[in-house]
Amino acid sequence: QVQLVESGGGLVQPGGSLRLSCAASRSIFSINTMVMGWYRQVIGKERELVATITSGSSTTYADSVKARFTISRDNAKATVYLQMNSLKPEDTALYYCHVIYVRLGRTYEYWGQGTQVIVSS
């Protein structure tokens, strides 16, 4: 029923920019108890929370990406974005889209398959 499909990853030089997109099932974007987020993971390390955005558009960021990354959403397109500027080699990771929400007293959680970001000269 619910799918998250990431896109926009790729290879960029340090200091460059990328914009990741996460297209979701339209039905969940009308839920006002949801939180969507971007996570990233490198082999051998724990999956790290990068940024979150609520249905009311409140946002949070990891300290490592503050002032460089911006999370946003477009309900009409059922899409969440992650604008990444001033990219550093340490931003290299597999980036995952994530959603958690409550409907009729039940909690639901979904993950995308991930999109690769490589920052290298």
Side-chain angles (χ1 to χ4, degrees):
Q1 177 68 19
V2 175
Q3 290 186 320
L4 303 174
V5 181
E6 303 98 329
S7 62
L11 173 64
V12 296
Q13 293 184 332
S17 298
L18 283 174
R19 190 190 196 194
L20 306 184
S21 298
C22 175
S25 300
R26 187 173 298 276
S27 61
I28 70 171
F29 270 72
S30 64
I31 301 172
N32 59 13
T33 58
M34 68 182 295
V35 178
M36 298 195 70
W38 288 95
Y39 290 72
R40 65 187 182 186
Q41 188 169 27
V42 177
I43 296 297
K45 298 182 65 177
E46 293 286 327
R47 189 169 295 187
E48 174 190 22
L49 177 62
V50 176
T52 65
I53 185 167
T54 69
S55 55
S57 296
S58 297
T59 59
T60 63
Y61 297 92
D63 288 342
S64 59
V65 306
K66 286 180 180 177
R68 299 190 298 120
F69 291 10
T70 302
I71 189 171
S72 62
R73 60 188 293 159
D74 185 334
N75 288 350
K77 296 181 178 180
T79 300
V80 64
Y81 304 96
L82 185 68
Q83 179 67 47
M84 304 185 294
N85 299 324
S86 302
L87 283 162
K88 305 174 180 179
E90 49 263 47
D91 295 318
T92 296
L94 189 63
Y95 284 72
Y96 295 93
C97 185
H98 171 263
V99 61
I100 186 167
Y101 62 93
V102 177
R103 171 176 273 173
L104 299 177
R106 293 183 58 191
T107 301
Y108 300 84
E109 187 174 15
Y110 297 92
W111 292 90
Q113 292 299 307
T115 185
Q116 183 69 55
V117 172
I118 300 174
V119 185
S120 176
S121 60

